[in-house]
Amino acid sequence: MKVLVVGSGGREHALIWKINQSEKVSKIYAAPGNPGIAKLAECVNIQALAIEDLANFANKEKIDLTVVGPESPLIAGITDEFEKRGLRIFGPNKKAAALEGSKAFAKELMHRYKVPTADYQIFSDFEKASQYVKNCPFSFVIKADGEAAGKGAIIPKDKEEAISILQNMMIEKIFGPSGEKVVIEQKLEGEEISLLAFTDGETVLPMIPSQDHKRVFDYNQGPNTGGMGAYAPVPFINAEMVERMKREILVPVIKGLKGEGIKYKGVIYAGLILTKDGPKVLEFNCRFGDPETQAILPLLQTDLVDLLLATLEERLNEINFFWYEGFCVCVVLASKGYPGKYKKGKVIKGMEEAEKEALLFHAGTSFLSTPAAYCSLPTVVTGGGRVLGVTALGDTLKEARDKTYQAVAKIQFEGMHYRRDIGEKYE
């Protein structure tokens, strides 16, 4: 079968790497892809939000299955457009994707169906939001309602900074329309984990839990990013706890959506915090996580294409997951300045050596238009804030970490920075 993967990051590279292992697949396309993906798939120059162009391409090339990586096209309704044309596509439709596209929608849904989450208030008026934070008796988080590339949740250090954050979001519109409405919710204490699951709208099949590292610097310092690394599975989460999170959180949300006439089919991603009162939801995403996917899929023994098809055909109840025993660690190498402004076009060296010891998932790379004189092959340069996801497996978390960081040490580009503590706390 022919498969099209939409997106250009590390998550999409990991998806293609895993899809490429399926005997069912004869050809993979990526739109738009990246230099790492180009080794496994034919990259086509169509951007992820060019929905009509993607549907036209899928029609023309007789694509059997399209898999959507990033959230933006899902929130914009790519699934609805493909299904309207009779094209098979993996990912929730526009109404279901509002679970990520609007934090206010997600919060109100959780409230209606008694899904455990933090207390919250929703504001569209800057003055009312400002008055609320001035009088708020507890620590809180301010979240832009819409999508913000993982950077829309900010914890103010005091009320003065909270007013400034609201000003930036609601008046200055640093996140565009996404910040015109905000959710202000109580700050919860505890360990954060990510639990992803396949769902066909009836059955919910959780994957192994993982732990992302959002802050840009070691030991959770600095601003939030799209994710600086992840590992899986999480040593302190057992099968009983996963079952509890499925029962108390994932199933009620899927049933709640169904009760409101919305069938959710695809991957649902719950960002959870383990409080003294049990697991609570921080956020929902409507797609595979990034970088969690890079740490989860290398441990998956089951054919990913079988899982994708079973989801679409509503027969997940027939599927059993199989996972490799052991651990996987992914460390993100980032450009200087990320998650703020950064420069592109820095030559990346040492990847061939690193690939002897680890998987390299390209996240923000591109080809230099003019190959360097010393190299006959196209030169790969930095093309984004998060550049590479260096990923390795081990029988123990420590072994996986050691292998990953040994590979990291072989890679260089100007301004490269990364966290040195991914998974360290529990090795």
Side-chain angles (χ1 to χ4, degrees), residues 8-11 13 34-37 227-228 290-291 294 330-338 342-349 351 359-366 380-390 411-418:
S8 61
R11 164 186 48 218
H13 192 175
N34 64 39
I37 288 171
M228 293 298 292
D290 188 345
Q294 293 90 298
C330 172
V331 173
V332 171
L333 309 185
S335 297
K336 182 180 180 180
Y338 177 78
Y342 53 85
K343 293 181 179 178
K344 301 178 183 180
K346 306 299 181 183
V347 174
I348 306 169
K349 299 177 182 176
M351 287 192 291
L359 297 163
L360 294 191
F361 294 124
H362 289 230
T365 64
S366 58
V380 178
V381 298
T382 62
R386 294 187 294 171
V387 178
L388 292 168
V390 184
I411 301 170
Q412 309 93 37
F413 58 85
E414 185 184 331
M416 181 177 99
H417 72 95
Y418 57 94

Side-chain angles (χ1 to χ4, degrees), residues 3-4 41 90 92 121 135 139 196 226 254-255 270 302 307 326-327 351 358 368:
V3 177
L4 167 64
F90 182 89
Q121 293 289 330
N135 299 316
S139 298
L196 282 68
I254 297 303
K255 282 187 174 178
T302 308
L307 289 162
F327 293 84
M351 287 192 291
L368 193 65

Side-chain angles (χ1 to χ4, degrees), residues 221-339:
Q221 300 299 305
N224 271 346
T225 69
M228 293 298 292
Y231 71 91
V234 181
F236 55 87
I237 302 292
N238 58 24
E240 185 181 353
M241 178 60 79
V242 171
E243 187 59 33
R244 178 184 176 183
M245 293 185 288
K246 172 185 169 181
R247 182 179 66 250
E248 295 181 3
I249 292 167
L250 296 177
V251 170
V253 164
I254 297 303
K255 282 187 174 178
L257 285 167
K258 184 183 176 185
E260 301 196 5
I262 301 171
K263 190 150 196 173
Y264 191 113
K265 291 169 72 170
V267 164
I268 183 169
Y269 161 150
L272 306 174
I273 186 164
L274 308 180
T275 73
K276 60 181 176 57
D277 300 318
K280 295 188 177 186
V281 178
L282 294 172
E283 64 176 0
F284 281 113
N285 294 320
C286 62
R287 35 69 191 182
F288 286 95
D290 188 345
E292 293 95 338
T293 301
Q294 293 90 298
I296 292 171
L297 288 188
L299 292 166
L300 177 65
Q301 277 189 298
T302 308
D303 186 327
L304 177 59
V305 174
D306 284 344
L307 289 162
L308 301 176
L309 294 176
T311 301
L312 295 180
E313 294 163 9
E314 298 183 24
R315 48 179 183 82
L316 275 177
N317 61 333
E318 302 171 7
I319 295 291
N320 288 316
F321 262 144
F322 294 98
W323 299 92
Y324 291 106
E325 291 190 9
F327 293 84
C328 185
V329 173
C330 172
V331 173
V332 171
L333 309 185
S335 297
K336 182 180 180 180
Y338 177 78

Side-chain angles (χ1 to χ4, degrees), residues 2-279:
K2 291 182 179 180
V3 177
L4 167 64
V5 176
V6 176
S8 61
R11 164 186 48 218
E12 290 74 39
H13 192 175
L15 284 166
I16 287 168
W17 172 81
K18 197 66 185 178
I19 289 168
N20 187 56
Q21 296 171 15
S22 174
E23 293 181 358
K24 293 180 172 63
V25 175
S26 57
K27 175 80 175 178
I28 307 174
Y29 295 93
N34 64 39
I37 288 171
K39 294 179 180 179
L40 300 172
E42 182 178 331
C43 294
V44 293
N45 189 22
I46 306 175
Q47 297 305 307
L49 274 169
I51 291 172
E52 289 238 347
D53 292 342
L54 289 165
N56 290 338
F57 177 82
N59 257 330
K60 180 187 171 190
E61 296 297 330
K62 296 182 171 55
I63 300 296
D64 299 292
L65 173 65
T66 297
V67 182
V68 185
E71 64 274 17
S72 295
L74 292 167
I75 292 167
I78 187 172
T79 297
D80 307 69
E81 179 63 26
F82 270 58
E83 288 180 344
K84 188 172 74 178
R85 299 189 187 202
L87 295 165
R88 194 157 54 173
I89 183 168
F90 182 89
N93 63 26
K94 187 173 185 175
K95 285 184 177 178
L99 200 61
E100 176 169 4
S102 170
K103 290 182 175 61
F105 171 84
K107 278 296 206 181
E108 289 170 332
L109 185 83
M110 286 186 272
H111 178 71
R112 283 197 296 278
Y113 295 97
K114 297 180 172 54
V115 175
T117 188
D119 292 337
Y120 68 97
Q121 293 289 330
I122 299 167
F123 296 94
S124 298
D125 181 277
F126 169 72
E127 295 300 334
K128 290 180 180 177
S130 300
Q131 197 60 42
Y132 177 78
V133 301
K134 284 176 186 174
N135 299 316
C136 194
F138 48 73
S139 298
F140 52 84
V141 184
I142 300 173
K143 296 181 176 182
D145 176 52
E147 55 179 313
K151 302 167 196 170
I154 305 175
I155 303 170
K157 63 177 181 288
D158 53 39
K159 293 185 178 181
E160 185 179 336
E161 187 182 36
I163 303 295
S164 175
I165 291 166
L166 290 172
Q167 172 86 21
N168 288 338
M169 283 190 186
M170 304 182 81
I171 307 299
E172 303 297 331
K173 294 184 170 41
I174 61 168
F175 298 123
S178 293
E180 290 175 358
K181 184 188 290 185
V182 298
V183 175
I184 301 174
E185 67 179 39
Q186 185 172 8
K187 181 177 179 290
L188 300 175
E189 299 296 335
E191 284 281 354
E192 294 184 27
I193 67 153
S194 302
L195 184 63
L196 282 68
F198 291 94
T199 179
D200 55 15
E202 302 291 337
T203 301
V204 176
L205 202 59
M207 302 182 212
I208 53 173
S210 58
Q211 192 166 46
D212 184 16
H213 295 63
K214 282 283 187 190
R215 299 299 187 99
V216 69
F217 300 127
D218 290 354
Y219 308 114
N220 298 320
Q221 300 299 305
N224 271 346
T225 69
M228 293 298 292
Y231 71 91
V234 181
F236 55 87
I237 302 292
N238 58 24
E240 185 181 353
M241 178 60 79
V242 171
E243 187 59 33
R244 178 184 176 183
M245 293 185 288
K246 172 185 169 181
R247 182 179 66 250
E248 295 181 3
I249 292 167
L250 296 177
V251 170
V253 164
I254 297 303
K255 282 187 174 178
L257 285 167
K258 184 183 176 185
E260 301 196 5
I262 301 171
K263 190 150 196 173
Y264 191 113
K265 291 169 72 170
V267 164
I268 183 169
Y269 161 150
L272 306 174
I273 186 164
L274 308 180
T275 73
K276 60 181 176 57
D277 300 318

